[in-house]
Amino acid sequence: MKRMRTYSLKGADISRDWQVIDAAGQTLGRLATRIARLLRGKHKPTYSPHLEMGDYVIVVNAARVRVTGKKLEDKVYYRHSGYHGGLKSVTLGELLTTRPARVIELAVRGMLPHNRLGRKLFRNLKVYAELAPVFAALVHTFHQDHEYDREKLARFLGRLRPGPTEAGGQDT
C-alpha cells in the first residue's frame, strides 16, 4: 500500500505576481478584504498560513474609493502620541481629503495578522491616491478582473525593487 505524504511548500516553490487594482467606485471594506486576500496568498491553491506567499498589490485611485452610510462623518480614526492629552482624532472624510492612501492602508492593515508576518506582508502593498501617469501607461483597462499588461508591469516594477547587488548586498 502506497503511503500518502503531506506536501510542504518550500520558499523556492513560491511564485508571486503583481496585481493592479483600481479603487475608483469600489466600497472600502470589500476592497480591503480583496487586497488582504491577495497579500496573504489565499487565492492560491498552495496557500500556507505561515509563509509569505501572497502577491504584490498596487492600488490606484484611492481618493475615489466609496463608503456607504454616514461613515464620512461618523467613522473616526484615533492615534495617541504617548503623552498626557496626546489623543488625536480625525474623521474618515477629513482623512480622505488629506491622505486618501492612508484610508486603504489602515483598512488592509487591520485585516492582516498582527505579528511579524503581517508587517512583512504589508510591505508588499503600494497605494496611490490617483492614477499616476506611469500606471496609466501600464494599465490598459480597468474592469472587474482588473486586467493589465503583465510584461510591461514586470519591466517597470523590476526597476522599482532593488536587486541583491543594488541594495548593497554582495553578488556571489
Side-chain angles (χ1 to χ4, degrees):
M1 174 181 238
K2 186 174 180 180
R3 194 171 167 154
M4 300 299 288
R5 294 188 178 204
T6 302
Y7 175 72
S8 181
L9 193 67
K10 314 245 182 332
D13 299 336
I14 297 173
S15 66
R16 304 174 78 182
D17 291 329
W18 288 86
Q19 304 286 337
V20 177
I21 297 177
D22 185 12
Q26 294 195 41
T27 308
L28 176 62
R30 293 177 186 272
L31 175 67
T33 55
R34 181 170 171 216
I35 294 169
R37 182 177 172 82
L38 290 171
L39 288 172
R40 289 286 318 257
K42 287 189 167 189
H43 62 290
K44 297 181 180 183
T46 56
Y47 169 70
S48 295
H50 65 286
L51 293 176
E52 179 191 6
M53 61 178 309
D55 294 340
Y56 300 100
V57 179
I58 299 172
V59 181
V60 293
N61 287 327
R64 295 174 39 201
V65 73
R66 186 170 62 95
V67 291
T68 58
K70 298 193 312 179
K71 291 187 188 81
L72 287 175
E73 300 88 30
D74 293 347
K75 184 169 178 61
V76 180
Y77 293 97
Y78 295 101
R79 66 186 190 278
H80 199 282
S81 66
Y83 292 98
H84 292 294
L87 183 65
K88 309 283 185 183
S89 63
V90 62
T91 64
L92 176 61
E94 294 169 4
L95 199 58
L96 267 176
T97 56
T98 56
R99 297 181 66 191
R102 187 80 175 133
V103 173
I104 293 178
E105 289 173 355
L106 288 171
V108 171
R109 180 171 284 186
M111 295 180 186
L112 292 176
H114 303 288
N115 54 22
R116 277 185 276 192
L117 178 62
R119 289 187 295 274
K120 191 184 272 190
L121 293 173
F122 187 72
R123 288 186 209 119
N124 299 333
L125 173 67
K126 303 292 179 208
V127 184
Y128 298 96
E130 296 297 327
L131 179 61
V134 171
F135 295 112
L138 296 173
V139 181
H140 54 81
T141 179
F142 286 130
H143 53 81
Q144 198 57 32
D145 293 333
H146 304 287
E147 294 293 326
Y148 58 92
D149 190 348
R150 289 179 184 266
E151 293 164 6
K152 280 185 184 177
L153 187 62
R155 278 184 298 206
F156 169 73
L157 295 172
R159 295 190 306 243
L160 279 184
R161 295 187 67 78
T165 56
E166 298 172 19
Q170 296 179 356
D171 192 22
T172 55

